[in-house]
Amino acid sequence: MDKPVLVATVAPLIGHLTQSIQLAKLILEKNNQLSISLLVIKVPIDPQGTNKIQTFIDGCNVERLHFHHLPQPENTDSWTSHRGLFVNQLLEFQKLHVREYVSKIKGLCGFLLDVMTTTMIDVADEFQVPSYIFCTSGAGFIGLMLYVQSLQDDHNQDTIELFKTSKELIAPCFLQPIPVSVLPIIITDKLQWSIRMHKWAQQYRRAKGIIVNTFAALEDYALKSFLKGSAYGKSGV
């Protein structure tokens, strides 16, 4: 019988990579039969970030954790110059290569996805294996994303206009109302929300589970809010 292999796709950012590797170490410590294949994605327009990622990987030696470098696109002249949207295009480009790589794995048991690589849920579904999301930010962030997505999809609320006309946001994951002025731009900017973040938040609900980089003593209120699934819309969490 083939030993189980978990495929991990990580956002091409050093902060996401380091946390994902720490999570991989914990998972491997808990299961000595499992191996993890981490797919490395490099951003052609960010050579400095790519060098940081490569340097970190070169110094990482973890038993049963393997790195597979996905190919870079040959020509991105027609791609957007906006870094965040560029990464979106890059991830869509990589789906074919991920599919080809995964098709050769014997014992594939699931996908561990970054909050930014949720498009790979499509690949996991094709191979009929579960996918799990790893949120490198805290429970408050993932709760905010799901709540704003619910406002738009379940309550037909134009959230961009809401943030323009409101001073505070009352969200189930926060104990106190939050000034709209301190909300992350990825939530309040129309371009970033409509093209990137809204779709990501929708895809979080497709995963079999969400792993959050937090602990109860730090975010007790936010974590307990997830027990009240109705607070996050019809589809729950």
Side-chain angles (χ1 to χ4, degrees):
M1 183 177 180
D2 297 313
K3 291 186 177 181
V5 178
L6 181 66
V7 171
T9 61
V10 183
L13 299 169
I14 190 66
H16 288 240
L17 177 68
T18 54
Q19 292 188 52
S20 294
I21 289 178
Q22 290 301 316
L23 175 60
K25 290 179 181 179
L26 292 174
I27 293 174
L28 293 173
E29 287 175 3
K30 297 292 184 180
N31 189 329
N32 59 17
Q33 297 298 312
L34 180 71
S35 66
I36 296 178
S37 182
L38 193 150
L39 307 186
V40 181
I41 301 172
K42 298 178 181 178
V43 183
I45 61 173
D46 185 14
Q48 184 177 9
T50 294
N51 289 337
K52 288 181 180 179
I53 288 173
Q54 188 59 55
T55 299
F56 186 82
I57 290 175
D58 289 342
C60 183
N61 183 19
V62 179
E63 186 179 0
R64 291 177 285 116
L65 174 60
H66 311 288
F67 297 96
H68 175 74
H69 295 257
L70 294 173
Q72 295 191 49
E74 295 182 0
N75 189 334
T76 60
D77 291 345
S78 62
W79 292 26
T80 178
S81 59
H82 185 289
R83 190 187 187 286
L85 301 183
F86 184 97
V87 170
N88 265 32
Q89 288 180 275
L90 180 61
L91 292 171
E92 290 301 320
F93 166 84
Q94 294 294 6
K95 284 176 79 171
L96 173 63
H97 299 288
V98 172
R99 187 178 295 110
E100 290 178 349
Y101 175 73
V102 168
S103 67
K104 301 174 185 177
I105 295 178
K106 295 181 179 180
L108 175 69
C109 66
F111 276 70
L112 178 62
L113 307 175
D114 186 276
V115 289
M116 294 174 61
T117 66
T118 53
T119 187
M120 300 303 172
I121 291 179
D122 293 337
V123 182
D125 288 349
E126 288 176 27
F127 286 88
Q128 298 182 332
V129 294
S131 52
Y132 298 87
I133 304 293
F134 175 44
C135 178
T136 52
S137 299
F141 172 77
I142 199 76
L144 175 63
M145 288 279 290
L146 291 170
Y147 180 63
V148 175
Q149 178 261 325
S150 174
L151 287 178
Q152 183 168 329
D153 293 343
D154 297 328
H155 303 283
N156 298 316
Q157 175 72 64
D158 186 333
T159 57
I160 301 302
E161 288 301 315
L162 173 67
F163 296 145
K164 288 180 180 179
T165 57
S166 303
K167 293 184 177 180
E168 294 181 330
L169 175 69
I170 299 176
C173 54
F174 298 132
L175 179 61
Q176 300 293 337
I178 300 298
V180 169
S181 60
V182 303
L183 292 175
I185 192 172
I186 54 176
I187 298 288
T188 60
D189 179 75
K190 183 175 182 178
L191 179 64
Q192 296 207 50
W193 173 253
S194 62
I195 297 180
R196 304 179 71 205
M197 310 307 294
H198 180 221
K199 184 176 181 180
W200 291 354
Q202 290 175 321
Q203 291 172 328
Y204 296 160
R205 299 179 185 274
R206 294 175 55 194
K208 298 301 181 184
I210 299 177
I211 304 169
V212 184
N213 182 26
T214 191
F215 53 95
L218 178 65
E219 294 190 282
D220 181 65
Y221 187 87
L223 290 171
K224 286 181 178 178
S225 73
F226 293 122
L227 300 177
K228 305 173 183 178
S230 60
Y232 291 98
K234 297 175 182 178
S235 54
V237 292

